[in-house]
Amino acid sequence: MLNNIEIGERIRGIRKELNMSREKFSEMIDISDVFLGQIERGERSLSIKTLYKIVEFSGSSTDYILFGDKNDNIVYNKINKILNRCSDNELNYIYNIIKCSYSFFKTSDKK
């Protein structure tokens, strides 16, 4: 059974993690700030369309929003959202940056 209060709290947490006001976040997902406030307080349910917009904008997962699946990693999802828009050349470039950064951090951890 879905719990609107818990869903609303998770959405509020996502918005706060993005350091966004209710007004700005609602503008980005194309709903009114009043409606967003009602969703965050659990007073109203969100539609599939609104859920999709939140997921698309924030990079969070529907599993996390609806069920609180803590295995969701918002940073990973944000990165994945960016990577999905990259060309093969851009992906290769980003991969090399990550690989070098990872090697650097692993080496500095040993010191």
Side-chain angles (χ1 to χ4, degrees):
M1 184 84 178
L2 295 178
N3 183 322
N4 285 342
I5 293 172
E6 291 175 0
I7 291 169
E9 288 172 354
R10 286 189 286 270
I11 291 170
R12 180 183 296 116
I14 290 167
R15 175 178 61 79
K16 287 185 175 187
E17 186 169 307
L18 294 171
N19 295 316
M20 297 186 83
S21 67
R22 187 177 295 145
E23 292 77 17
K24 186 64 177 172
F25 190 77
S26 63
E27 180 183 319
M28 299 307 293
I29 61 171
D30 197 29
I31 62 172
S32 74
D33 61 322
V34 172
F35 183 50
L36 178 59
Q38 292 170 330
I39 291 171
E40 288 184 352
R41 291 186 298 276
E43 297 168 0
R44 302 273 306 268
S45 297
L46 66 159
S47 67
I48 297 293
K49 180 180 177 181
T50 302
L51 176 61
Y52 175 81
K53 288 179 181 182
I54 292 170
V55 167
E56 184 69 20
F57 175 72
S58 71
S60 191
S61 75
T62 56
D63 282 348
Y64 173 71
I65 293 170
L66 296 177
F67 307 111
D69 181 1
K70 302 245 187 235
N71 292 327
D72 178 59
N73 185 323
I74 292 175
V75 174
Y76 174 82
N77 289 326
K78 287 178 188 177
I79 292 169
N80 198 34
K81 185 177 174 185
I82 293 169
L83 294 177
N84 284 332
R85 293 188 221 136
C86 292
S87 70
D88 287 342
N89 284 342
E90 291 167 331
L91 287 172
N92 194 38
Y93 182 77
I94 292 167
Y95 169 76
N96 287 324
I97 291 171
I98 292 170
K99 186 176 161 186
C100 289
S101 298
Y102 181 76
S103 295
F104 172 77
F105 287 118
K106 285 298 179 186
T107 303
S108 64
D109 284 345
K110 293 179 182 177
K111 293 179 180 180

